[in-house]
Amino acid sequence: GAVVSQHPSRVICKSGTSVKIECRSLDFQATTMFWYRQFPKQSLMLMATSNEGSKATYEQGVEKDKFLINHASLTLSTLTVTSAHPEDSSFYICSARSRGLAADTQYFGPGTRLTVL
Amino acid sequence: KNEVEQSPQNLTAQEGEFITINCSYSVGISALHWLQQHPGGGIVSLFMLSSGKKKHGRLIATINIQEKHSSLHITASHPRDSAVYICAAPNYGGSQGNLIFGKGTKLSVKP
């Protein structure tokens, strides 16, 4: 099946620094990628949707200037958490969908655990 | 917006037991996802199914589209099956078909 990777799997950073998380589709072209966030003991929640070559669409309450998303190619999307704060500590997961597949078809990355000190 | 409910929230079983986790949703869909999340947080996609039944090893997923219900079964459960199991359904009307996730079922299998 289709494989989606994320890098890094874990990252610890100091407050005020920026962190970049990569999401790659390894064996298919991902025209749409979704970024989700999961706080402890809570469900995954959609942060933003990105389409290759266009600006990301952010969900209500997600600051677009803080969570920068770039989907510059059909196999790579990046999420940059700028000026990270401890409350940004969370589990970030991406999923990817290929053109032509049903809207329900998504392949998940393994996630990235961000800890901001 | 689709509402996704899972039950039970927590489940403890003895090794070897047959496990069932249930998922119901409010809006008709064409496919549903079952995911496994390990204690370290990593997500593994188990199934994406649109009808009937799928089997992978000791895992079986079934879906009844008319009743808007899916079940995940684990046969001959093992301690390594201990994880959080999450079902997810499309959020029609949301951002280009993103998913709505259940709160998860935390499974602990005791040796």
Side-chain angles (χ1 to χ4, degrees):
Chain A
V3 178
V4 174
S5 69
Q6 277 185 243
H7 178 82
S9 57
R10 290 178 178 272
V11 58
I12 300 172
C13 69
K14 292 183 179 180
S15 186
T17 60
S18 294
V19 175
K20 180 184 285 189
I21 302 170
E22 293 185 348
C23 177
R24 291 182 186 273
S25 58
L26 298 186
D27 51 2
F28 68 101
Q29 292 184 330
T31 49
T32 303
M33 285 187 172
F34 301 92
W35 285 96
Y36 297 91
R37 179 169 55 182
Q38 183 186 38
F39 290 110
K41 300 188 187 302
Q42 294 188 23
S43 301
L44 285 80
M45 297 293 290
L46 180 70
M47 296 177 67
T49 302
S50 74
N51 291 299
E52 185 266 337
S54 63
K55 289 185 177 180
T57 304
Y58 290 80
E59 294 300 296
Q60 195 171 11
V62 179
E63 300 174 59
K64 63 180 181 181
D65 294 329
K66 182 171 182 62
F67 298 99
L68 302 179
I69 291 172
N70 185 287
H71 192 165
S73 78
L74 284 171
T75 59
L76 174 65
S77 176
T78 60
L79 168 68
T80 301
V81 183
T82 62
S83 188
H85 286 99
E87 57 264 32
D88 298 325
S89 298
S90 186
F91 191 64
Y92 293 87
I93 303 144
C94 71
S95 71
R97 187 174 73 213
S98 178
R99 190 197 332 265
L101 293 180
D104 307 348
T105 304
Q106 296 183 29
Y107 301 98
F108 287 86
T112 297
R113 173 77 62 192
L114 170 64
T115 302
V116 184
L117 302 177
Chain B
K1 180 180 173 179
N2 216 340
E3 303 285 339
V4 178
E5 299 282 341
Q6 277 186 245
S7 63
Q9 276 191 309
N10 293 283
L11 182 56
T12 301
Q14 286 298 125
E15 183 173 356
E17 285 185 5
F18 182 81
I19 305 291
T20 295
I21 299 170
N22 295 299
C23 177
S24 61
Y25 49 92
S26 59
V27 178
I29 62 172
S30 56
L32 181 129
H33 297 255
W34 280 102
L35 310 172
Q36 180 190 54
Q37 186 170 30
H38 286 281
I43 293 276
V44 174
S45 184
L46 299 176
F47 296 104
M48 181 167 55
L49 70 164
S50 56
S51 65
K53 179 167 74 174
K54 282 191 175 181
K55 185 175 188 295
H56 185 254
R58 294 179 295 104
L59 300 177
I60 303 167
T62 63
I63 190 168
N64 185 316
I65 295 292
Q66 287 74 28
E67 294 187 4
K68 300 186 180 65
H69 181 269
S70 176
S71 293
L72 176 68
H73 306 284
I74 305 175
T75 60
S77 58
H78 191 275
R80 64 175 174 267
D81 297 325
S82 298
V84 176
Y85 293 85
I86 303 167
C87 69
N91 180 28
Y92 296 126
S95 302
Q96 301 178 49
N98 68 286
L99 298 176
I100 296 290
F101 296 84
K103 292 185 177 179
T105 295
K106 185 176 181 181
L107 172 65
S108 297
V109 182
K110 307 294 184 187

